[in-house]
Amino acid sequence: MLSAKSLFQEILDHDESFRLFCSIAAGGEAQGGWENGRIAALVPPALRALAPKIARHGADEDKHGRIFMALLRRRGLTPVPVPPETDYTMLLERRGIGLAHDRLRRDEPLTERDIVVYLAHGRVTEQRAAEQMALLLKHFAGHPEIGRAVRMIAADEDNHLAYTHEELLRLAAAGHGPFIRYTLRACALAEIRVHRDVSLAVMARMGRVLGWPRTRRALLTAAVHAVYAYERLAGRRRMVTLGMPERLDALGGPTASAHEYA
């Protein structure tokens, strides 16, 4: 029977597919760490209180990248280059979502609207990340090889999502509400399209590595398109609504060290 658990188990059990999975994940986390670090350094004076939380977010992303690299090392594997068509972060940037890397490389303070764009982008992408980690947590929390990594990363993603909700609500109360709603909608529409494209690219790569028959590839392709259609019509609402999280100041403390995992 084809299920999310059996699919990931198959990827986990094969060295080359696991190598590709961890390489893609580590690359995305490393990019996120760099982006958050630059944003923390360029926060406008009026929002300087946010800088430590943004830096903490970046430190978490860097930690996740190290965890995926540690998973590879434990199996005696080395990372592979990330195929461009699977680079979620850069594909979002090409669609104008989030803050462009060339903007972040300049030593010019960001504006309050830039911070709204950053947080809205995070609200949408962290929703995706939290959901994906919740799925892995459901099936692999007790796995001897990846269980501890899954538990740690899932907890961090929940914190990141809570943080974006709280800070966007604070900025909405300060008068940015209409721009926040517009930006969230634009981010969500772009993200579900990029997620579809990346999912198809990853499944195609995994299919070649694992030798999936044509029928399985067709079934998975249809499933990806079905998810996209649902999200395009109604599912994106979960990405654009805001609510005060149960845990406030989720990024107010230090990040847990990757050494605690390794």
Side-chain angles (χ1 to χ4, degrees):
M1 179 180 176
L2 186 60
S3 65
K5 181 179 181 180
S6 64
L7 182 64
F8 190 78
Q9 187 68 60
E10 189 174 357
I11 292 170
L12 176 62
D13 289 343
H14 190 285
D15 279 352
E16 286 306 308
S17 57
F18 185 68
R19 188 183 184 202
L20 178 60
F21 169 79
C22 287
S23 298
I24 292 171
E29 299 288 358
Q31 287 185 56
W34 178 83
E35 289 170 3
N36 278 276
R38 289 300 300 154
I39 292 166
L42 300 174
V43 170
L47 297 176
R48 285 307 300 172
L50 269 179
K53 297 179 182 181
I54 299 172
R56 157 74 188 275
H57 189 175
D60 283 345
E61 303 287 357
D62 284 336
K63 176 185 69 179
H64 299 168
R66 293 193 299 274
I67 287 173
F68 284 114
M69 295 299 287
L71 288 171
L72 287 174
R73 287 195 302 272
R74 284 183 175 187
R75 202 181 279 195
L77 302 173
T78 56
V80 295
V82 176
E85 69 273 20
T86 69
D87 194 331
Y88 175 80
T89 303
M90 292 308 298
L91 289 172
L92 281 173
E93 183 185 354
R94 287 176 191 168
R95 289 191 173 273
I97 300 303
L99 298 175
H101 284 189
D102 61 351
R103 173 70 178 88
L104 295 179
R105 291 187 183 98
R106 300 197 300 267
D107 290 324
E108 300 173 6
L110 299 171
T111 66
E112 288 192 20
R113 281 206 160 196
D114 288 332
I115 299 301
V116 168
V117 168
Y118 153 71
L119 287 168
H121 171 266
R123 161 69 185 94
V124 170
T125 56
E126 294 297 343
Q127 179 77 38
R128 181 76 68 188
E131 290 172 354
Q132 290 177 332
M133 291 310 303
L135 184 63
L136 290 179
L137 191 65
K138 176 182 177 181
H139 296 301
F140 296 96
H143 192 279
E145 183 178 7
I146 67 166
R148 194 174 181 189
V150 166
R151 294 193 302 272
M152 180 177 285
I153 296 173
D156 287 344
E157 300 298 4
D158 287 344
N159 284 341
H160 299 166
L161 183 57
Y163 149 78
T164 60
H165 274 270
E166 184 179 2
E167 298 305 333
L168 282 170
L169 285 169
R170 184 174 290 120
L171 286 167
H176 293 281
F179 184 60
I180 289 172
R181 289 190 292 273
Y182 167 81
T183 307
L184 281 172
R185 182 179 182 277
C187 284
L189 287 170
E191 194 281 339
I192 63 174
R193 190 175 298 113
V194 168
H195 179 258
R196 176 201 61 189
D197 294 344
V198 168
S199 296
L200 292 171
V202 171
M203 288 299 103
R205 293 258 175 181
M206 291 298 179
R208 289 194 291 271
V209 169
L210 295 168
W212 287 341
R214 183 176 299 176
T215 51
R216 170 175 278 200
R217 284 180 285 170
L219 183 60
L220 288 170
T221 296
V224 170
H225 283 295
V227 169
Y228 170 73
Y230 165 73
E231 292 191 331
R232 178 80 183 180
L233 290 172
R236 72 175 185 271
R237 291 174 187 167
R238 76 191 192 285
M239 296 179 166
V240 300
T241 57
L242 294 175
M244 192 59 71
E246 291 184 9
R247 182 176 181 186
L248 300 178
D249 196 26
L251 296 188
T255 183
S257 169
H259 294 301
E260 295 179 24
Y261 160 75

